[in-house]
Amino acid sequence: MAHVSENGSEKKMAEGGNDAELLKEKANKYFKEKDYENAIKYYSEALELNPSNAIYYSNRSLAYLRTECYGYALADATKALEIDKNYIKGYYRRATSNMALGKFKAALKDYETVVRVRPNDKDAKMKYQECNKIVKQKAFERAIASDETKKSVVDSLDIENMTIEDDYVGPKLEDGKVTLKFMKEMMDWFKDQNKLHRKCAYQTEKITICGDTHGQYYDLLNIFKLNGLPSETNPYLFNGDFVDRGSFSVEVILTLFGFKLLYPNNFHVLRGNHETDNMNQMYGFEGEVKAKYTGQMFQLFSEVFQWLPLAQCINSKVLVMHGGLFSEDGVTLEDLRKIDRNRQPPDSGPMCDLLWSDPQPQNGRSISKRGVSCQFGPDVTERFLEQNKLDYIVRSHEVKAEGYEVTHSGKCITVFSAPNYCDQMGNKGAYIHLRGSDLKPEFHQFTAVPHPNVKPMAYANTLMQLGMM
């Protein structure tokens, strides 16, 4: 009888393995169609049937990378290697996850492993060399850093003596000031893929809230076409992540900063997790600025990003931030006002949470899918709002199929304004109108518009371009 039972068990295991393979193939099909959420769903179901398959974890890791869930991607890659330490793709996936999280030394260790096992693999050797270069660059930057007050890039600029060449026919400032005429001319100039002169670039009853724009300049122009240009009677708030990924980030940020100069009290910009040096180095903004202008220009952007506000409270009722709420209870609006924001964000604490955290449907908190900050539940939102006498929060930071999402019983709203994100997600974009004394949100959706044939991530770090493939 025991023998029969053993055979029956083996048969069930074999059937389970076959079913898992069918689920994996289904997941692969969704992955090829760029439907990463369903791909993750079916890889997960395959793992329930066969939790000791390194390939399933590796495949799901790549799907998590595509959806920017870097923490989950890292965990899956690590699990794949626990199951099979000789599984080379697992080292690739883990290295890419660590690169995305800015953990360059950890990534380098995995690339070293791949090169050691496959010394003739040109792709592995190239990735190792690129990663090693970044690690050495970071070490050099730390070595030359001093405790003295850092000199601002502004101190080294001589804008007055910059000459505008005779053959330059683009927009020009009027007596050194931004005007509405200049802004309109500049947006048309950018639309035709022209470059603003460096001298101009260096000087440069409802409210509409926009989410991530991520260098999608032509979709930004579409927002202004649909909703009207910013003005004293048409105020805007852009909620971070203006740059990176999209390859027109310079045009986006100069346009936004131009309107901030033109309407300082009616045009607002908050910092996102991509207004930081590590992100800009990996996801394209640093490379784009250096390609279109200079390294000095990027340093100036880096300085300015550090001064951007981290949150904004509207009529003492609605708090807007890029990421979300906090890893611990008890944070007050006064605590937020006291944050020293003129720096690169730390790995934890309120500043990190404002830029990085995400909501979750279940109560409590959990480890972040991104590998940074946390995920917070409806009870966390409820307690924060009650303590600070607020009605709800508005945040961005996550792609949503409809361009927005209302969760936590209407008290946590996500808005995302980059439609067909990275030319592949197929999502709508959205913006929000807040009107009247009750500040009831009105959602407006829009779809992507055509843009010149420059692919997303065109200026990104080579490793990120290749590692996500």
Side-chain angles (χ1 to χ4, degrees):
M1 290 296 290
H3 181 69
V4 172
S5 176
E6 189 174 308
N7 286 341
S9 176
E10 288 176 358
K11 185 177 180 182
K12 282 185 178 180
M13 287 176 64
E15 288 173 352
N18 290 336
D19 290 343
E21 275 297 300
L22 290 173
L23 287 167
K24 185 201 79 170
E25 293 304 319
K26 193 171 185 179
N28 288 349
K29 179 175 177 291
Y30 278 116
F31 187 92
K32 288 176 183 177
E33 294 171 354
K34 299 179 181 177
D35 185 348
Y36 303 120
E37 296 299 331
N38 270 318
I40 289 167
K41 175 186 174 183
Y42 288 107
Y43 287 136
S44 299
E45 290 184 10
L47 281 164
E48 287 176 10
L49 294 176
N50 186 359
S52 59
N53 190 304
I55 294 173
Y56 298 174
Y57 280 106
S58 177
N59 286 4
R60 191 172 69 173
S61 176
L62 184 57
Y64 278 136
L65 282 168
R66 293 290 174 88
T67 55
E68 302 182 19
C69 298
Y70 303 128
Y72 288 176
L74 180 60
D76 272 1
T78 301
K79 184 66 177 177
L81 291 170
E82 288 174 2
I83 294 169
D84 182 358
K85 65 180 181 180
N86 296 317
Y87 185 55
I88 295 300
K89 274 191 178 179
Y91 291 101
Y92 271 120
R93 298 282 185 266
R94 192 165 68 179
T96 303
S97 302
N98 276 316
M99 287 291 292
L101 291 166
K103 299 176 180 178
F104 306 115
K105 283 187 177 179
L108 183 63
K109 187 176 179 182
D110 282 334
Y111 285 132
E112 283 175 346
T113 300
V114 177
V115 170
R116 189 167 60 250
V117 174
R118 294 182 176 175
N120 297 320
D121 187 329
K122 291 182 180 179
D123 179 66
K125 193 173 292 185
M126 184 275 293
K127 289 178 177 177
Y128 168 77
Q129 290 170 346
E130 283 289 324
C131 188
N132 193 34
K133 187 164 64 176
I134 293 172
V135 170
K136 287 181 177 178
Q137 180 186 338
K138 293 289 183 185
F140 176 73
E141 289 170 357
R142 286 193 298 272
I144 64 172
S146 70
D147 294 330
E148 298 176 14
T149 303
K150 185 180 177 183
K151 188 176 180 181
S152 171
V153 175
V154 175
D155 297 332
S156 64
L157 294 175
D158 186 8
I159 297 172
E160 290 300 317
N161 289 323
M162 285 184 185
T163 57
I164 297 180
E165 295 77 11
D166 292 337
D167 59 354
Y168 175 74
V169 294
K172 297 177 184 177
L173 298 168
E174 297 177 19
D175 297 323
K177 294 182 178 179
V178 174
T179 63
L180 182 58
K181 177 175 177 287
F182 171 82
M183 288 303 302
K184 288 180 176 179
E185 289 177 355
M186 184 181 76
M187 287 190 292
D188 286 339
W189 186 248
F190 283 158
K191 191 175 181 181
D192 294 332
Q193 298 188 77
N194 293 310
K195 189 172 76 171
L196 186 67
H197 194 278
R198 67 186 186 284
K199 183 167 185 174
C200 301
Y202 275 118
Q203 295 181 0
T204 96
E205 204 146 73
K206 70 172 184 185
I207 185 167
T208 300
I209 301 176
C210 298
D212 303 40
T213 48
H214 274 301
Q216 296 185 197
Y217 180 67
Y218 296 84
D219 293 309
L220 173 65
L221 293 182
N222 191 38
I223 292 173
F224 292 149
K225 179 181 178 182
L226 296 170
N227 194 58
L229 287 175
S231 70
E232 292 175 350
T233 57
N234 191 27
Y236 278 83
L237 190 163
F238 279 82
N239 195 23
D241 279 15
F242 321 117
V243 301
D244 282 339
R245 296 194 179 275
S247 296
F248 304 96
S249 293
V250 167
E251 291 79 3
V252 168
I253 196 62
L254 287 177
T255 298
L256 296 181
F257 281 178
F259 276 119
K260 181 62 180 174
L261 289 170
L262 183 59
Y263 302 116
N265 299 317
N266 307 97
F267 193 88
H268 309 281
V269 286
L270 302 183
R271 191 178 187 180
N273 63 300
H274 276 268
E275 279 70 58
T276 56
D277 286 355
N278 269 355
M279 292 289 127
N280 295 160
Q281 182 180 33
M282 298 307 301
Y283 292 98
F285 184 59
E286 180 178 349
E288 182 181 344
V289 176
K290 288 179 176 179
K292 294 178 178 178
Y293 289 100
T294 63
Q296 183 189 51
M297 175 76 88
F298 174 73
Q299 291 170 14
L300 183 57
F301 273 121
S302 175
E303 285 187 28
V304 174
F305 287 165
Q306 292 186 166
W307 283 109
L308 293 178
L310 300 171
Q312 185 149 343
C313 193
I314 301 174
N315 288 3
S316 301
K317 289 187 175 183
V318 179
L319 186 67
V320 184
M321 77 288 284
H322 180 74
L325 297 181
F326 308 98
S327 302
E328 297 179 354
D329 284 344
V331 177
T332 66
L333 297 183
E334 187 58 32
D335 292 330
L336 303 188
R337 294 186 185 99
K338 293 177 181 177
I339 292 175
D340 174 17
R341 70 178 190 266
N342 182 24
R343 55 179 171 153
Q344 295 301 310
D347 293 332
S348 61
M351 182 177 179
C352 173
D353 296 332
L354 284 168
L355 298 174
W356 277 99
S357 71
D358 294 294
Q360 64 180 20
Q362 68 271 28
N363 281 338
R365 294 178 174 88
S366 62
I367 296 171
S368 170
K369 61 191 177 186
R370 302 174 189 270
V372 185
S373 185
C374 69
Q375 294 176 185
F376 59 95
D379 58 330
V380 176
T381 301
E382 183 68 39
R383 289 194 298 271
F384 174 80
L385 295 176
E386 185 176 343
Q387 180 179 6
N388 289 282
K389 297 180 173 59
L390 297 167
D391 290 347
Y392 60 91
I393 64 170
V394 176
R395 41 92 62 183
S396 300
H397 194 40
E398 287 184 286
V399 184
K400 297 298 175 184
E402 296 301 313
Y404 72 94
E405 184 177 63
V406 182
T407 57
H408 295 185
S409 302
K411 295 182 179 180
C412 178
I413 295 172
T414 299
V415 59
F416 193 85
S417 303
N420 194 26
Y421 181 46
C422 290
D423 284 356
Q424 68 176 16
M425 298 304 290
N427 60 291
K428 294 177 183 176
Y431 51 86
I432 304 173
H433 286 163
L434 301 187
R435 298 178 185 272
S437 58
D438 64 350
L439 295 178
K440 183 179 178 180
E442 299 174 3
F443 302 100
H444 299 263
Q445 298 168 295
F446 60 98
T447 55
V449 297
H451 63 75
N453 188 27
V454 183
K455 293 181 179 180
M457 300 283 280
Y459 300 96
N461 179 277
T462 307
L463 279 173
M464 295 312 297
Q465 292 181 34
L466 295 174
M468 293 297 185
M469 299 303 175

